[in-house]
Amino acid sequence: MTRSNGKRSNTRNNHSRPFRRHGSEHTSTYLQNFKVGDYADIIINSSIHKGLPFKYYHGKTGKIFNISKSSIGIKIEKTVGNRKILKKISVRVEHLKKSKSIIGFSEKKAAKDRIRYEEKSQPRKNFHLRGMTGFPLEKHSVSFENIKTVTPEPYCMII
């Protein structure tokens, strides 16, 4: 008999509920506010079988394009070979969580805008923001005067 490849195959750990998180879903999951254009993470809740997305989409982040009574439509880019295909899937609210990835992006963008505004008031030479992870370090010098040489002790066996 050949090995089956059903919709839920190879999902032993992927679809299992965490420790002490079994049972019916809390009402707070149904009271989340989603808006069109928001980003949402797809995290499969295996205790609810309705509106369960395919296992590939678990952990993916997409943009909401449609909201209906019982489900939410999400656009996701799926990599197939050497191209990306835009997929539109319909998922129930129980399998969605508001994405926090956009928060870090918006904070970084605000910091760069602040730096750009300060730069306009007092221009510098060779100013750029590309690939900037943190703020530029201040100038400092390193002295090599107090370098100590360390020599290892010879190996000896004590019996």
Side-chain angles (χ1 to χ4, degrees):
M1 191 169 159
T2 58
R3 191 171 169 278
S4 63
N5 291 312
K7 285 183 180 178
R8 295 186 71 166
S9 65
N10 305 325
T11 58
R12 180 180 184 173
N13 299 320
N14 198 359
H15 286 185
S16 64
R17 300 287 287 145
F19 181 60
R20 291 184 183 159
R21 300 267 190 246
H22 297 274
S24 59
E25 195 58 37
H26 299 289
T27 53
S28 60
T29 54
Y30 298 101
L31 296 173
Q32 293 179 35
N33 286 329
F34 291 104
K35 296 175 185 171
V36 175
D38 286 352
Y39 286 92
D41 298 327
I42 298 172
I43 285 113
I44 292 173
N45 185 351
S46 58
S47 63
I48 289 108
H49 297 254
K50 277 189 172 183
L52 191 81
F54 186 66
K55 62 188 173 184
Y56 169 82
Y57 301 108
H58 178 72
K60 301 283 187 273
T61 304
K63 197 171 189 179
I64 296 172
F65 74 93
N66 184 28
I67 297 172
S68 66
K69 185 181 80 169
S70 59
S71 65
I72 293 174
I74 295 185
K75 290 181 186 176
I76 296 170
E77 281 192 342
K78 183 177 181 180
T79 306
V80 180
N82 62 346
R83 65 195 192 277
K84 291 193 176 187
I85 300 172
L86 185 72
K87 301 287 247 179
K88 290 182 175 182
I89 61 169
S90 187
V91 181
R92 279 180 77 106
V93 183
E94 296 94 320
H95 309 289
L96 291 176
K97 193 171 77 174
K98 272 198 169 180
S99 181
K100 294 181 180 175
S101 61
I102 199 76
I103 295 168
F105 173 74
S106 60
E107 286 175 357
K108 195 180 354 177
K109 189 176 177 183
K112 285 186 177 183
D113 287 342
R114 209 177 310 113
I115 293 166
R116 199 175 283 116
Y117 178 75
E118 291 170 3
E119 179 58 31
K120 283 185 180 178
S121 62
Q122 38 179 292
R124 285 184 292 172
K125 198 174 184 182
N126 299 333
F127 175 74
H128 63 89
L129 286 171
R130 279 219 164 161
M132 196 179 97
T133 54
F135 295 102
L137 299 171
E138 294 180 9
K139 288 184 179 180
H140 64 281
S141 61
V142 180
S143 64
F144 295 102
E145 294 172 359
N146 299 330
I147 296 176
K148 294 178 183 177
T149 56
V150 179
T151 55
E153 293 182 9
Y155 177 75
C156 63
M157 197 150 89
I158 302 169
I159 298 175

